[in-house]
Amino acid sequence: MSSMDELNTKTIRLTLDAYKILNSEKKKLNQIANVSYTYSDIILASLAILEALNNENRPLVIDILRKFKNARVSSDKTNIEELFKNTVNEIVSELSSNLLKEAITKIIEHLIERGFPGAAMEVLLSNVNLFDAHERNQLSFEILAAIGENQKLKELL
């Protein structure tokens, strides 16, 4: 009896495009790691990543799912492989942007804590495009409050 007997498996149906992408990714991963991964391994890893991304950025996940569903049901025969590549690039860009935004926020907070709110404002202004209006307002408020505290301290001295 093999390790994948009938009691421990289920058959799922994929579109031909989805199968081609899954098979291509399987081959790439097997070559990169020099280990043989099954489709189940790859699907489970993908679902874990999807769950983590969903917890961090649900609108992005919903948008991606909508794109693939629309491509699947559309009659214009969208190139799924091209959509897959573009979506991967979009996710990488979004994750990179979030990491950069987190790093810039920590720098700003560090500068405020160390008594350099002017420098914090310069960092915010030079990276303003990373933040939405609410985030900009919150950081600006923190910076202005710190500037106000510095002014009070200077007046006392």
Side-chain angles (χ1 to χ4, degrees):
M1 201 189 277
S2 74
S3 63
M4 300 265 296
D5 62 30
E6 285 190 35
L7 294 176
N8 293 323
T9 62
K10 287 286 182 184
T11 300
I12 60 172
R13 293 176 59 98
L14 301 173
T15 63
L16 184 57
D17 289 327
Y19 171 77
K20 285 178 183 176
I21 292 169
L22 179 60
N23 193 49
S24 172
E25 291 302 307
K26 179 181 185 258
K27 287 178 182 176
K28 277 194 275 186
L29 291 168
N30 288 344
Q31 286 177 344
I32 291 169
N34 204 20
V35 174
S36 180
Y37 294 110
T38 66
Y39 293 120
S40 291
D41 300 331
I42 295 165
I43 290 169
L44 287 171
S46 300
L47 290 171
I49 293 167
L50 180 64
E51 178 68 17
L53 185 57
N54 191 38
N55 290 338
E56 290 297 312
N57 194 335
R58 182 160 295 161
L60 177 63
V61 171
I62 298 301
D63 183 52
I64 291 167
L65 287 169
R66 190 175 297 121
K67 284 179 189 177
F68 282 111
K69 180 177 182 174
N70 288 342
R72 179 177 50 82
V73 298
S74 139
S75 60
D76 71 2
K77 295 300 175 204
T78 302
N79 183 335
I80 300 292
E81 291 180 40
E82 189 66 30
L83 178 60
F84 177 78
K85 289 175 188 171
N86 291 341
T87 302
V88 168
N89 290 336
E90 178 184 347
I91 293 168
V92 168
S93 176
E94 181 73 23
L95 293 176
S96 297
S97 176
N98 284 343
L99 289 173
L100 181 58
K101 182 167 56 172
E102 288 176 21
I104 297 296
T105 300
K106 287 180 181 180
I107 290 168
I108 291 169
E109 290 169 350
H110 179 78
L111 289 168
I112 292 170
E113 290 169 8
R114 298 292 184 250
F116 300 104
M121 184 60 85
E122 289 294 323
V123 172
L124 175 60
L125 292 175
S126 64
N127 294 283
V128 73
N129 61 323
L130 293 175
F131 301 96
D132 65 30
H134 175 74
E135 294 165 330
R136 282 192 307 271
N137 290 342
Q138 182 62 36
L139 289 169
S140 295
F141 176 79
E142 292 174 25
I143 292 168
L144 292 173
I147 290 172
E149 287 296 316
N150 280 0
Q151 293 291 346
K152 286 180 185 176
L153 288 174
K154 285 181 183 177
E155 290 172 4
L156 290 174
L157 298 176

